Amino acid sequence: GQVRRAVALAAAARTVRAEMAIPPDVGFQTELDSRVEAAAQLMSRGEAEAARASGSAMTLDEAASAAVDPSWQ
């Protein structure tokens, strides 16, 4: 649940930033990437890829909803 959400939301944030042409803060992004990769290691490769794909397909509104909805899977 929470690990999948974290990986998906990180992918959503990356996609939304790219779509809006907003460059990431390099230091923050490096730290985030490290933490998200550690979280992804707690899942199978297929689960992590599915979470990333799910997040990458989210709109900004969908990502915001997923971030605050405790039942989001």
mmCIF file of all heavy atoms in Angstrom, residues 15-38:
data_model
loop_
_atom_site.group_PDB
_atom_site.id
_atom_site.type_symbol
_atom_site.label_atom_id
_atom_site.label_comp_id
_atom_site.label_asym_id
_atom_site.label_seq_id
_atom_site.Cartn_x
_atom_site.Cartn_y
_atom_site.Cartn_z
ATOM 1 N N THR A 15 6.535 13.174 -13.884
ATOM 2 C CA THR A 15 5.809 13.370 -15.137
ATOM 3 C C THR A 15 5.175 14.753 -15.203
ATOM 4 O O THR A 15 5.276 15.448 -16.215
ATOM 5 C CB THR A 15 4.740 12.273 -15.308
ATOM 6 O OG1 THR A 15 5.402 11.003 -15.346
ATOM 7 C CG2 THR A 15 3.943 12.463 -16.575
ATOM 8 N N VAL A 16 4.519 15.147 -14.124
ATOM 9 C CA VAL A 16 3.865 16.465 -14.096
ATOM 10 C C VAL A 16 4.900 17.574 -14.256
ATOM 11 O O VAL A 16 4.693 18.527 -15.017
ATOM 12 C CB VAL A 16 3.028 16.641 -12.815
ATOM 13 C CG1 VAL A 16 2.587 18.084 -12.641
ATOM 14 C CG2 VAL A 16 1.829 15.716 -12.837
ATOM 15 N N ARG A 17 6.045 17.446 -13.557
ATOM 16 C CA ARG A 17 7.096 18.462 -13.708
ATOM 17 C C ARG A 17 7.572 18.541 -15.150
ATOM 18 O O ARG A 17 7.759 19.627 -15.701
ATOM 19 C CB ARG A 17 8.281 18.158 -12.790
ATOM 20 C CG ARG A 17 8.131 18.666 -11.390
ATOM 21 C CD ARG A 17 9.469 18.657 -10.638
ATOM 22 N NE ARG A 17 10.228 17.436 -10.808
ATOM 23 C CZ ARG A 17 10.069 16.334 -10.077
ATOM 24 N NH1 ARG A 17 9.159 16.298 -9.123
ATOM 25 N NH2 ARG A 17 10.803 15.278 -10.306
ATOM 26 N N ALA A 18 7.759 17.397 -15.786
ATOM 27 C CA ALA A 18 8.218 17.382 -17.176
ATOM 28 C C ALA A 18 7.182 18.017 -18.103
ATOM 29 O O ALA A 18 7.532 18.806 -18.988
ATOM 30 C CB ALA A 18 8.512 15.952 -17.614
ATOM 31 N N GLU A 19 5.913 17.679 -17.889
ATOM 32 C CA GLU A 19 4.852 18.236 -18.723
ATOM 33 C C GLU A 19 4.744 19.750 -18.564
ATOM 34 O O GLU A 19 4.395 20.452 -19.511
ATOM 35 C CB GLU A 19 3.514 17.592 -18.388
ATOM 36 C CG GLU A 19 3.396 16.160 -18.847
ATOM 37 C CD GLU A 19 2.141 15.459 -18.349
ATOM 38 O OE1 GLU A 19 1.399 16.025 -17.509
ATOM 39 O OE2 GLU A 19 1.907 14.318 -18.801
ATOM 40 N N MET A 20 5.027 20.243 -17.370
ATOM 41 C CA MET A 20 4.926 21.676 -17.098
ATOM 42 C C MET A 20 6.265 22.398 -17.305
ATOM 43 O O MET A 20 6.373 23.590 -17.044
ATOM 44 C CB MET A 20 4.414 21.897 -15.675
ATOM 45 C CG MET A 20 3.031 21.310 -15.448
ATOM 46 S SD MET A 20 2.474 21.485 -13.749
ATOM 47 C CE MET A 20 1.734 23.116 -13.851
ATOM 48 N N ALA A 21 7.268 21.645 -17.753
ATOM 49 C CA ALA A 21 8.613 22.182 -17.993
ATOM 50 C C ALA A 21 9.191 22.840 -16.740
ATOM 51 O O ALA A 21 9.803 23.904 -16.793
ATOM 52 C CB ALA A 21 8.610 23.154 -19.168
ATOM 53 N N ILE A 22 8.999 22.182 -15.598
ATOM 54 C CA ILE A 22 9.532 22.670 -14.326
ATOM 55 C C ILE A 22 10.745 21.810 -13.969
ATOM 56 O O ILE A 22 10.602 20.614 -13.711
ATOM 57 C CB ILE A 22 8.476 22.570 -13.209
ATOM 58 C CG1 ILE A 22 7.254 23.397 -13.561
ATOM 59 C CG2 ILE A 22 9.081 22.984 -11.874
ATOM 60 C CD1 ILE A 22 6.082 23.193 -12.630
ATOM 61 N N PRO A 23 11.915 22.411 -13.980
ATOM 62 C CA PRO A 23 13.101 21.621 -13.645
ATOM 63 C C PRO A 23 13.109 21.260 -12.155
ATOM 64 O O PRO A 23 12.725 22.074 -11.316
ATOM 65 C CB PRO A 23 14.267 22.544 -13.988
ATOM 66 C CG PRO A 23 13.702 23.913 -13.932
ATOM 67 C CD PRO A 23 12.245 23.798 -14.274
ATOM 68 N N PRO A 24 13.542 20.051 -11.837
ATOM 69 C CA PRO A 24 13.598 19.671 -10.423
ATOM 70 C C PRO A 24 14.791 20.320 -9.736
ATOM 71 O O PRO A 24 15.783 20.676 -10.376
ATOM 72 C CB PRO A 24 13.772 18.153 -10.481
ATOM 73 C CG PRO A 24 14.480 17.912 -11.771
ATOM 74 C CD PRO A 24 13.965 18.965 -12.715
ATOM 75 N N ASP A 25 14.683 20.481 -8.433
ATOM 76 C CA ASP A 25 15.824 20.880 -7.627
ATOM 77 C C ASP A 25 16.764 19.671 -7.595
ATOM 78 O O ASP A 25 16.371 18.594 -7.139
ATOM 79 C CB ASP A 25 15.352 21.244 -6.213
ATOM 80 C CG ASP A 25 16.503 21.539 -5.292
ATOM 81 O OD1 ASP A 25 17.106 20.571 -4.774
ATOM 82 O OD2 ASP A 25 16.791 22.724 -5.089
ATOM 83 N N VAL A 26 17.968 19.832 -8.097
ATOM 84 C CA VAL A 26 18.875 18.700 -8.282
ATOM 85 C C VAL A 26 19.168 17.972 -6.970
ATOM 86 O O VAL A 26 19.109 16.738 -6.912
ATOM 87 C CB VAL A 26 20.182 19.149 -8.972
ATOM 88 C CG1 VAL A 26 21.161 17.985 -9.073
ATOM 89 C CG2 VAL A 26 19.887 19.710 -10.351
ATOM 90 N N GLY A 27 19.477 18.705 -5.925
ATOM 91 C CA GLY A 27 19.781 18.064 -4.642
ATOM 92 C C GLY A 27 18.593 17.306 -4.096
ATOM 93 O O GLY A 27 18.727 16.163 -3.646
ATOM 94 N N PHE A 28 17.430 17.935 -4.143
ATOM 95 C CA PHE A 28 16.216 17.281 -3.663
ATOM 96 C C PHE A 28 15.903 16.054 -4.508
ATOM 97 O O PHE A 28 15.570 14.993 -3.983
ATOM 98 C CB PHE A 28 15.033 18.250 -3.682
ATOM 99 C CG PHE A 28 13.735 17.595 -3.290
ATOM 100 C CD1 PHE A 28 13.439 17.347 -1.966
ATOM 101 C CD2 PHE A 28 12.828 17.200 -4.261
ATOM 102 C CE1 PHE A 28 12.253 16.720 -1.599
ATOM 103 C CE2 PHE A 28 11.638 16.575 -3.906
ATOM 104 C CZ PHE A 28 11.353 16.332 -2.577
ATOM 105 N N GLN A 29 16.009 16.186 -5.838
ATOM 106 C CA GLN A 29 15.666 15.071 -6.726
ATOM 107 C C GLN A 29 16.590 13.889 -6.503
ATOM 108 O O GLN A 29 16.151 12.738 -6.522
ATOM 109 C CB GLN A 29 15.717 15.512 -8.194
ATOM 110 C CG GLN A 29 15.135 14.475 -9.138
ATOM 111 C CD GLN A 29 13.664 14.223 -8.889
ATOM 112 O OE1 GLN A 29 12.873 15.156 -8.819
ATOM 113 N NE2 GLN A 29 13.282 12.971 -8.755
ATOM 114 N N THR A 30 17.862 14.168 -6.272
ATOM 115 C CA THR A 30 18.822 13.086 -6.004
ATOM 116 C C THR A 30 18.431 12.325 -4.743
ATOM 117 O O THR A 30 18.423 11.082 -4.725
ATOM 118 C CB THR A 30 20.251 13.655 -5.880
ATOM 119 O OG1 THR A 30 20.583 14.303 -7.110
ATOM 120 C CG2 THR A 30 21.261 12.568 -5.582
ATOM 121 N N GLU A 31 18.097 13.061 -3.690
ATOM 122 C CA GLU A 31 17.678 12.428 -2.434
ATOM 123 C C GLU A 31 16.375 11.657 -2.615
ATOM 124 O O GLU A 31 16.233 10.524 -2.148
ATOM 125 C CB GLU A 31 17.521 13.483 -1.339
ATOM 126 C CG GLU A 31 17.070 12.939 -0.008
ATOM 127 C CD GLU A 31 18.093 12.054 0.677
ATOM 128 O OE1 GLU A 31 19.284 12.145 0.379
ATOM 129 O OE2 GLU A 31 17.679 11.258 1.543
ATOM 130 N N LEU A 32 15.417 12.269 -3.313
ATOM 131 C CA LEU A 32 14.134 11.606 -3.551
ATOM 132 C C LEU A 32 14.329 10.325 -4.355
ATOM 133 O O LEU A 32 13.779 9.275 -4.003
ATOM 134 C CB LEU A 32 13.169 12.541 -4.276
ATOM 135 C CG LEU A 32 11.799 11.950 -4.612
ATOM 136 C CD1 LEU A 32 11.040 11.563 -3.344
ATOM 137 C CD2 LEU A 32 11.001 12.927 -5.449
ATOM 138 N N ASP A 33 15.117 10.402 -5.424
ATOM 139 C CA ASP A 33 15.367 9.221 -6.256
ATOM 140 C C ASP A 33 15.966 8.090 -5.429
ATOM 141 O O ASP A 33 15.585 6.916 -5.593
ATOM 142 C CB ASP A 33 16.288 9.556 -7.424
ATOM 143 C CG ASP A 33 15.625 10.409 -8.481
ATOM 144 O OD1 ASP A 33 14.373 10.529 -8.488
ATOM 145 O OD2 ASP A 33 16.361 10.967 -9.325
ATOM 146 N N SER A 34 16.885 8.426 -4.540
ATOM 147 C CA SER A 34 17.515 7.419 -3.684
ATOM 148 C C SER A 34 16.494 6.758 -2.766
ATOM 149 O O SER A 34 16.456 5.526 -2.631
ATOM 150 C CB SER A 34 18.620 8.079 -2.857
ATOM 151 O OG SER A 34 19.161 7.168 -1.940
ATOM 152 N N ARG A 35 15.636 7.561 -2.178
ATOM 153 C CA ARG A 35 14.620 7.019 -1.261
ATOM 154 C C ARG A 35 13.550 6.217 -1.998
ATOM 155 O O ARG A 35 13.101 5.171 -1.512
ATOM 156 C CB ARG A 35 13.994 8.138 -0.449
ATOM 157 C CG ARG A 35 14.959 8.728 0.552
ATOM 158 C CD ARG A 35 14.386 9.927 1.260
ATOM 159 N NE ARG A 35 15.364 10.530 2.127
ATOM 160 C CZ ARG A 35 15.249 10.543 3.440
ATOM 161 N NH1 ARG A 35 14.225 10.001 4.045
ATOM 162 N NH2 ARG A 35 16.183 11.126 4.172
ATOM 163 N N VAL A 36 13.161 6.701 -3.164
ATOM 164 C CA VAL A 36 12.148 5.978 -3.946
ATOM 165 C C VAL A 36 12.719 4.647 -4.436
ATOM 166 O O VAL A 36 12.035 3.625 -4.414
ATOM 167 C CB VAL A 36 11.632 6.841 -5.123
ATOM 168 C CG1 VAL A 36 10.764 6.024 -6.065
ATOM 169 C CG2 VAL A 36 10.845 8.033 -4.588
ATOM 170 N N GLU A 37 13.970 4.647 -4.846
ATOM 171 C CA GLU A 37 14.595 3.394 -5.277
ATOM 172 C C GLU A 37 14.667 2.404 -4.121
ATOM 173 O O GLU A 37 14.417 1.207 -4.296
ATOM 174 C CB GLU A 37 15.986 3.651 -5.857
ATOM 175 C CG GLU A 37 16.631 2.420 -6.431
ATOM 176 C CD GLU A 37 15.799 1.701 -7.488
ATOM 177 O OE1 GLU A 37 15.071 2.349 -8.263
ATOM 178 O OE2 GLU A 37 15.868 0.451 -7.539
ATOM 179 N N ALA A 38 14.978 2.893 -2.931
ATOM 180 C CA ALA A 38 14.999 2.009 -1.753
ATOM 181 C C ALA A 38 13.608 1.444 -1.489
ATOM 182 O O ALA A 38 13.455 0.255 -1.174
ATOM 183 C CB ALA A 38 15.510 2.769 -0.533
#
